[in-house]
Amino acid sequence: MRIVFLGPPGAGKGTQAETVSKNEKIPHISSGNLLREAIETGTETGLKARSYIEKGLLVPDEVVVGIIKDRILKGDCKNGFVLDGFPRTLAQAKILDEMLKTLGNHIDVVFYFIVSEDAVVARLSGRMICSACGANYHVQFVPPIKEGLCDKCSGKLHQRTDDKPETVLERLKVYREQTAGLVEYYRNNKILREISSDLKIEEISKNIADIINYELKKHKKTMVG
Ligand code: AP5
């Protein structure tokens, strides 16, 4: 199943994408993680992306599209993937559709995460990331067992540079201006499913799993019929 997670920064897309990835045995492709890895390793893509990310702006389409295309063409994406953070502009959405079409595929379902701005600000201001394995925590909502250390690998936890309050506000503005319009695009394509993200993590996971199971059953029926 080919899934897209769409929604504002801090909506919980990455958290839920990890669960779907484990349950459905499909890779979690996060454009943000791929860009941050590129910055870490000092690649040309990373050098181009750095200043945009630090300011809370979108990285130019031609930079992001390349790394996403390369990732989707890897063997582990043959049976599907969950795309988190991509597409973020209409141009990206159209490029993705075209690319999948040439592979004989399409996006099956787009989850649109609906969340209040107050929740987003609270979530991002308390988010902590493991410097070693990238695991995601929250000082209040998903606290590590030992303060400042990752439960999985004991790596040090840090705050993302773009989670500073002024950058979060810029990211929300950019989302409203450049990404929110994709909701209509996918609604018109009849693949949009709305998800309330103002709930507990486990409740959201259950709602997403129910929709995925429904879509999988529908898909099997079409194949048989
Ligand atoms: P990216 O990394 O994609 O960031 P984002 O979309 O802004 O999303 P976040 O990672 O901030 O939030 P999330 O929704 O995944 O929430 P999470 O699960 O972590 O992008 C970063 C930057 O890269 C962009 O600004 C841009 O510059 C660039 N970029 C990336 N993709 C691009 C593209 N396609 N085009 C151009 N530029 C691109 O949850 C947040 C926190 O809340 C965590 O601490 C978590 O533990 C907690 N939490 C999660 N769910 C809940 C819940 N239900 N209740 C309480 N706490 C919760």
Side-chain angles (χ1 to χ4, degrees):
M1 174 158 271
R2 291 165 187 85
I3 301 169
V4 165
F5 277 2
L6 175 65
K13 304 181 297 296
T15 303
Q16 296 300 333
E18 279 298 301
T19 304
V20 169
S21 167
K22 267 184 216 128
N23 292 347
E24 301 303 320
K25 298 181 180 51
I26 50 176
H28 166 199
I29 305 178
S30 155
S31 49
N33 286 349
L34 290 172
L35 290 168
R36 282 184 289 276
E37 276 163 31
I39 292 173
E40 260 318 82
T41 43
T43 65
E44 204 182 317
T45 300
L47 288 174
K48 285 182 190 156
R50 176 173 223 135
S51 65
Y52 293 96
I53 293 188
E54 283 174 354
K55 289 183 199 133
L57 302 174
L58 291 190
V59 172
D61 288 344
E62 62 275 16
V63 178
V64 191
V65 164
I67 54 168
I68 292 291
K69 274 191 174 173
D70 289 349
R71 184 64 190 88
I72 287 179
L73 288 173
K74 290 202 171 146
D76 61 343
C77 292
K78 218 176 64 186
N79 296 323
F81 49 74
V82 48
L83 257 182
D84 153 24
F86 186 95
R88 252 172 155 105
T89 62
L90 191 56
Q92 289 179 13
K94 289 185 175 168
I95 290 169
L96 177 66
D97 284 348
E98 276 305 309
M99 181 198 178
L100 292 177
K101 205 169 150 191
T102 59
L103 297 171
N105 295 320
H106 58 269
I107 296 296
D108 296 291
V109 55
V110 176
F111 286 96
Y112 168 39
F113 286 63
I114 301 174
V115 66
S116 66
E117 284 206 5
D118 285 351
V120 162
V121 173
R123 287 177 192 180
L124 294 184
S125 59
R127 171 165 59 184
M128 301 299 286
I129 307 284
C130 175
S131 311
C133 73
N136 200 333
Y137 295 88
H138 189 282
V139 283
Q140 187 187 348
F141 308 129
V142 190
I145 298 165
K146 277 193 198 156
E147 199 184 320
L149 293 180
C150 178
D151 296 349
K152 293 175 190 154
C153 74
S154 301
K156 275 199 182 155
L157 304 186
H158 72 276
Q159 189 179 38
R160 257 170 56 177
T161 50
D162 59 345
D163 279 349
K164 285 183 290 200
E166 61 277 19
T167 319
V168 167
L169 293 180
E170 182 62 31
R171 284 162 63 200
L172 281 168
K173 183 169 163 265
V174 166
Y175 171 78
R176 282 192 296 267
E177 290 173 358
Q178 299 187 56
T179 307
L182 286 181
V183 171
E184 272 322 293
Y185 177 75
Y186 287 121
R187 189 174 278 135
N188 289 339
N189 289 354
K190 302 199 180 354
I191 51 173
L192 192 83
R193 304 287 177 269
E194 294 186 356
I195 279 286
S196 168
S197 193
D198 273 326
L199 303 172
K200 290 200 176 123
I201 291 175
E202 300 71 27
E203 291 173 313
I204 303 168
S205 303
K206 161 92 176 51
N207 293 342
I208 291 175
D210 286 348
I211 293 174
I212 290 178
N213 288 335
Y214 172 80
E215 292 294 331
L216 283 171
K217 270 188 203 149
K218 213 169 73 180
H219 181 70
K220 269 185 203 152
K221 265 193 196 158
T222 324
M223 300 290 274
V224 172

